[in-house]
Amino acid sequence: MAPSSLEVARLGLFTSQGCKHCRRAKALLKEKSISYKEVDLTKAQRVRKAVQEYTGRRTVPQIFIAQNCIGGADELYSLEERGELDRKLREAEERGQAPFPVQVEALVSEAEGDGGDTGGAAAGEGEGFDWKRYDEILSIASGCPFGSSEFGAADLVGHFTRVDGGRAAGTEAEAWALGQELLDNRLVEVVGVGDGAGSKHRFGDDPGARYRFTFSAARKVSSSASGRVFNRDVVWPVRARSAPVVAESLRTKILDLYETFLSEDGKAVDYAGLARSGKFADYVRATSELREVDVSVLSRPEKIAFFVNVYNALVVHATATVGAPASVLERAKFFGNIKYEIGGLEYSCDDVEHGILRGNAVPPSSVLALVGLSCLASRTFKKSDPRAALAVSPVDPRIHFALVCGAKSCPPIRLYSAENLEEGLQGAAEAFCESEVVVDLSRRRVTLSKIFKWYGKDFAKTESDLLQRIEREYFSGGADNDLSTLLRGSKYSVKYAEYNWDVNDQGSGTHE
């Protein structure tokens, strides 16, 4: 267990929410009943940067024993395998050494008192809004028989004064007031009247006015002509915040869900339990705010952070709701069909990845791309598509280390903002390459993730240039790392590891 004071623990570690390597490290400590001091850096970006400067490492966990940083989860397990972990902790206990050096203890105190410096992701989310009452009237309205049909004010009042879901009928005055509440909360709209004019309308003032519900009474995912839109069941009832703040708020909620339902070894997520939780219901409601945001005003860093966060949130949302794809064909459909409505337009995961973040590139799964004829294939968005104006150019290939597809070979989930984008993407790149780039000097071979094969052209023109870029920009092993040693030789081979598409689910691999 994690104790509450530095004097008790002889081991300390810096972690972040949703980090599978952090969970893996803590699983070993729990198994051995080792007390530790945990410091969560998820929202403490300034402290995270300071810790990085102190240790020279961007990744988490960062583990300290006897005031020395021993490394991360791999180093912790290596100490255990060599029988040195217990010895180091015993020596620290005998000497009365705290885990962190004095310089780092100050950062620990700052992180523990930090309310979060990710740009105010949750600030102002329906501030002052009565969400409890909103849920109450939404529940009442969901029991109405009108569905998507139009109705008059008298029809709604008549229903409420007769019976409502088995509850006692209300008075006529209460029914008229409820109708106005539904209109004020945008759960009901006036047919044929714009939003601005509708806000001035008083429920029932015009006997001829027709109304309809703005949510799916069946409470199911809405379908569009070419996929499933996961945030159309409820209209956001208050003024929408800026796009970056909304995206970070959603990602914060997803990270919290991941932290709650991630297995102790960090290898799987209990999607079934996640889908049943109250936190997930809160998240689903919050996604409706995306429909109101304006993404046209985003700067390049804001745009990349926004769409990376939205992509990752959508994958978790869809996997928890409808299950993960179980075959190659289902996978191709999954990422093209799951969607959010953002600012009035639909975006699938493929739209976000290839259309926005890859500069309106040709999807690698297209038929022509698969046979090596990408030059003849159509780009994700046509020139006339308004979404094409949002395409990020030039492409930052590190986005491939940030996008999480829900498979076991995917990078870990992270939170990005415009302010921490460079640090976040670089940290994601180094963490990914640390675990997915394997050098075997005896065989003169380097094994890479299939991501580098599928998206190699985003990184470099040739395979040789790709390896040079990985070694120069993404490999954190120092100037004399094994990859640089390999590349100094004249001959070497490159192998691409099979991508593990198994779902990171604690269940059977799919979720019905």
Side-chain angles (χ1 to χ4, degrees):
M1 60 178 292
S4 59
S5 67
L6 292 177
E7 288 75 25
V8 176
R10 302 305 174 191
L11 181 148
L13 68 166
F14 290 97
T15 64
S16 64
Q17 285 187 319
C19 169
K20 60 184 180 182
H21 303 295
C22 300
R23 279 296 182 99
R24 181 169 160 247
K26 289 189 288 185
L28 176 60
L29 299 176
K30 182 178 180 180
E31 178 185 332
K32 292 178 61 66
S33 299
I34 295 173
S35 295
Y36 59 88
K37 174 68 178 182
E38 179 179 7
V39 185
D40 186 356
L41 298 178
T42 303
K43 297 181 180 180
Q45 295 298 332
R46 199 207 70 78
V47 176
R48 183 169 188 155
K49 187 174 182 180
V51 172
Q52 169 200 323
E53 291 173 352
Y54 180 86
T55 63
R57 297 170 55 97
R58 291 179 183 270
T59 57
V60 289
Q62 295 194 32
I63 304 171
F64 286 75
I65 299 176
Q67 303 182 13
N68 291 308
C69 181
I70 66 163
D74 286 344
E75 289 77 11
L76 181 69
Y77 274 82
S78 179
L79 283 177
E80 170 64 9
E81 290 169 3
R82 299 197 307 268
E84 296 181 19
L85 179 58
D86 290 337
R87 178 182 61 79
K88 283 182 174 291
L89 291 171
R90 186 168 56 252
E91 290 175 354
E93 181 68 33
E94 292 171 352
R95 297 169 184 169
Q97 290 177 304
F100 301 111
V102 175
Q103 305 95 307
V104 177
E105 282 190 24
L107 298 175
V108 171
S109 298
E110 182 177 342
E112 291 179 329
D114 198 332
D117 53 357
T118 59
E125 183 182 344
E127 185 176 352
F129 187 75
D130 189 348
W131 288 107
K132 182 177 180 180
R133 178 57 182 166
Y134 177 86
D135 287 339
E136 288 175 353
I137 62 174
L138 175 58
S139 176
I140 294 171
S142 296
C144 289
F146 306 114
S148 59
S149 302
E150 298 177 10
F151 54 86
D155 298 325
L156 191 66
V157 169
H159 171 73
F160 287 150
T161 53
R162 287 193 298 273
V163 64
D164 176 33
R167 290 187 291 271
T171 66
E172 187 169 325
E174 290 172 338
W176 284 104
L178 182 56
Q180 185 62 47
E181 273 195 280
L182 291 170
L183 190 63
D184 291 342
N185 285 280
R186 304 174 69 191
L187 292 170
V188 161
E189 66 182 359
V190 188
V191 177
V193 177
D195 191 56
S199 64
K200 301 175 183 178
H201 180 91
R202 299 295 300 173
F203 184 74
D205 276 1
D206 180 0
R210 304 294 293 173
Y211 303 90
R212 65 182 166 214
F213 290 118
T214 58
F215 61 92
S216 167
R219 313 299 295 150
K220 293 181 179 178
V221 176
S222 302
S223 295
S224 68
S226 57
R228 292 171 143 180
V229 184
F230 283 77
N231 65 335
R232 276 195 183 149
D233 59 338
V234 177
V235 172
W236 186 249
V238 293
R239 182 181 180 86
R241 297 164 294 170
S242 68
V245 171
V246 173
E248 287 182 34
S249 175
L250 294 177
R251 291 296 300 113
T252 299
K253 292 178 184 294
I254 285 292
L255 280 173
D256 187 28
L257 284 164
Y258 246 60
E259 185 68 13
T260 302
F261 294 97
L262 189 65
S263 63
E264 285 195 1
D265 62 5
K267 295 180 179 180
V269 178
D270 178 8
Y271 283 108
L274 185 153
R276 293 191 298 267
S277 71
K279 287 183 178 180
F280 183 67
D282 177 58
Y283 167 78
V284 170
R285 180 177 65 188
T287 61
S288 63
E289 191 176 7
L290 287 170
R291 298 170 60 191
E292 309 277 336
V293 302
D294 181 6
V295 292
S296 66
V297 299
L298 297 178
S299 66
R300 175 186 168 89
E302 288 174 335
K303 193 185 303 180
I304 293 174
F306 175 85
F307 280 105
V308 166
N309 289 337
V310 164
Y311 179 103
N312 292 340
L314 177 53
V315 169
V316 175
H317 190 163
T319 302
T321 303
V322 300
S327 66
V328 174
L329 180 60
E330 286 184 13
R331 250 191 323 272
K333 292 180 178 179
F334 183 81
F335 293 103
N337 286 348
I338 62 172
K339 300 179 178 183
Y340 277 149
E341 181 184 323
I342 303 171
L345 299 172
E346 295 178 9
Y347 294 82
S348 68
C349 281
D350 281 347
D351 293 334
V352 170
E353 180 176 8
H354 310 302
I356 305 298
L357 296 172
R358 297 187 62 230
N360 201 17
V362 175
S365 59
S366 69
V367 176
L368 290 174
L370 290 173
V371 296
L373 297 174
S374 295
C375 57
L376 302 178
S378 298
R379 292 182 177 272
T380 303
F381 300 138
K382 296 180 179 179
K383 290 183 178 180
S384 59
D385 193 320
R387 298 172 297 178
L390 295 172
V392 174
S393 183
V395 176
D396 188 328
R398 294 175 300 177
I399 57 105
H400 296 298
F401 309 125
L403 299 177
V404 179
C405 66
K408 289 185 176 178
S409 285
C410 273
I413 200 164
R414 289 171 177 257
L415 174 66
Y416 298 90
S417 68
E419 291 76 20
N420 78 354
L421 184 64
E422 175 59 31
E423 179 193 350
L425 290 179
Q426 187 61 27
E430 292 180 7
F432 185 81
C433 291
E434 184 178 312
S435 61
E436 299 296 332
V437 177
V438 181
V439 179
D440 186 339
L441 289 176
S442 65
R443 296 185 179 182
R444 303 286 302 162
R445 184 175 70 190
V446 57
T447 302
L448 304 177
S449 163
K450 274 282 181 67
I451 285 178
F452 291 112
K453 185 173 185 178
W454 296 328
Y455 302 107
K457 298 302 181 184
D458 288 355
F459 291 91
K461 292 182 179 179
T462 68
E463 192 171 70
S464 175
D465 289 342
L466 166 64
L467 290 172
Q468 294 287 347
R469 183 169 193 173
I470 292 173
E471 190 278 326
R472 183 178 65 251
E473 299 181 21
Y474 309 144
F475 220 59
S476 58
D480 295 323
N481 61 69
D482 287 348
L483 183 56
S484 64
T485 301
L486 181 75
L487 297 180
R488 283 196 293 268
S490 58
K491 292 183 179 180
Y492 55 83
S493 63
V494 180
K495 176 184 177 182
Y496 293 93
E498 288 302 313
Y499 201 81
N500 189 347
W501 282 107
D502 289 344
V503 185
N504 58 343
D505 190 348
Q506 283 186 215
S508 59
T510 58
H511 170 60
E512 298 297 334

